Amino acid sequence: MTAASAGVERTSFEGPHGPVEAVQVRPSSAGRSPAPAVLILHEGLGLTAHIVELARRFAQEGYLAFAPNLYSHDAAHRNLTEAEVARGIGLLRAPDRDDVVARLPAGEQERVKAVFAWFSNRDTSTYLPDAKAAAAYLAGRSDVRPGGIAAVGFSLGGGLVGQLAVAGVELAAGAVFYGQAPPLDRVRNARFPLQVHYAEEDPAITPKALEVQEAFRAAGRELISFVYPGTRHGFFNETRPAYHADAAQLSWRRTREFFAERTGNAAQPRLQAAAGEGARAAG
């Protein structure tokens, strides 16, 4: 076993559409008492090495870290490598995409176009049901502390965390990184507090931040949001061109403290939003 894979277990659970693959990393305290858990929902790139490493980081904080593969039912995705997906998605919205692809060798052009076709034709209908099933699976485990489950998601997965909230799923807390807003007419159904992390330069996501904030405030549901200056969509992922080290470090600290307080993992005060950085809607 390599250092990168040490402690990482490949597992699965039953979703409404069949088995769902997942990775988990147990905390060092595993076996002594039930531990809090973190459900990690990946971005569009999939269950990558970055997500596996994040699971290891949460396990080091004392959580049972659990990351389902939301593409478990996607046969087309299985024919693509992690590097091909990253390259193709990175080019999807590039203003000079066609020119860049045209300059590639013929074989590479075909692989990039295969990623474009896969991304455009994905069946997204299984993602939320599988995320709900993952939360229920964790809640039913004897090694997970009752009431001690948090969820974190990025882009695609971030939107799913918001959807879990407004679907009335019972969790301790949720952290959303640059995810699409959930249906705002269902905010009153939210049963757990959200912490939302926005990139400043993210025209598809961030302009709706104030509307989301006001919807939660009006519904008497708790939400705190932060906008990170000078950042772009994907700033938390060190493997992406948009990675922003300072924002990634600060958002990681905020998420850790938020989860620690809400799951009972540690007695830490909640980090308040600094002036101009964040806003809270609390019920």
Side-chain angles (χ1 to χ4, degrees):
M1 179 177 288
T2 66
S5 63
V8 177
E9 302 173 53
R10 301 284 171 176
T11 185
S12 66
F13 63 96
E14 195 64 27
H17 302 279
V20 180
E21 302 160 353
V23 299
Q24 68 179 17
V25 186
R26 301 175 191 269
S28 59
S29 61
R32 293 198 290 271
S33 61
V38 173
L39 172 62
I40 304 170
L41 300 178
H42 62 70
E43 58 193 329
L45 297 175
L47 186 55
T48 62
H50 163 74
I51 295 296
V52 174
E53 178 56 30
L54 181 60
R56 288 167 54 82
R57 290 168 69 184
F58 272 114
Q60 291 168 1
E61 297 289 324
Y63 297 95
L64 187 151
F66 191 82
N69 180 2
L70 299 172
Y71 297 149
S72 291
H73 315 300
D74 190 331
H77 182 264
R78 293 184 184 279
N79 295 322
L80 303 170
T81 68
E82 183 175 320
E84 287 172 342
V85 171
R87 185 181 196 180
I89 289 180
L91 286 172
L92 269 173
R93 295 176 179 82
D96 57 347
R97 183 185 81 178
D98 293 340
D99 290 339
V100 172
V101 173
R103 291 195 295 269
L104 296 173
E108 293 184 31
Q109 287 187 39
E110 292 305 311
R111 298 307 293 169
V112 169
K113 289 177 182 178
V115 175
F116 293 167
W118 160 74
F119 195 83
S120 298
N121 296 313
R122 291 176 302 167
D123 178 7
T124 63
S125 66
T126 63
Y127 302 163
L128 182 58
D130 283 348
K132 289 180 177 179
Y137 169 73
L138 287 174
R141 289 178 54 155
S142 61
D143 58 349
V144 172
R145 180 185 302 164
I149 303 171
V152 60
F154 304 86
S155 190
L156 166 68
L160 290 171
V161 171
Q163 290 187 62
L164 288 176
V166 302
V169 174
E170 298 279 357
L171 295 175
V176 175
F177 281 75
Y178 31 84
Q180 290 282 357
L184 299 184
D185 59 351
R186 299 175 60 192
V187 166
R188 286 195 176 276
N189 297 328
R191 294 294 179 268
F192 60 87
L194 288 177
Q195 186 182 80
V196 186
H197 304 273
Y198 292 103
E200 182 180 44
E201 301 168 18
D202 193 353
I205 304 292
T206 304
K208 202 166 184 178
L210 182 59
E211 184 180 356
V212 174
Q213 186 78 36
E214 289 305 317
F216 273 77
R217 189 188 309 278
R221 298 297 183 262
E222 187 177 1
L223 178 145
I224 181 169
S225 59
F226 300 96
V227 178
Y228 296 83
T231 60
R232 294 181 290 135
H233 192 94
F235 69 79
F236 189 83
N237 187 337
E238 73 280 356
T239 71
R240 300 185 66 171
Y243 176 65
H244 192 292
D246 290 344
Q249 182 179 16
L250 178 56
S251 58
W252 169 242
R253 178 165 64 90
R254 286 170 167 158
T255 301
R256 286 168 52 220
E257 293 183 355
F258 183 55
F259 283 4
E261 177 189 358
R262 297 313 178 97
T263 65
N265 192 33
Q268 295 185 21
R270 179 182 306 173
L271 188 65
Q272 299 290 339
E277 285 189 321
R280 178 190 304 279

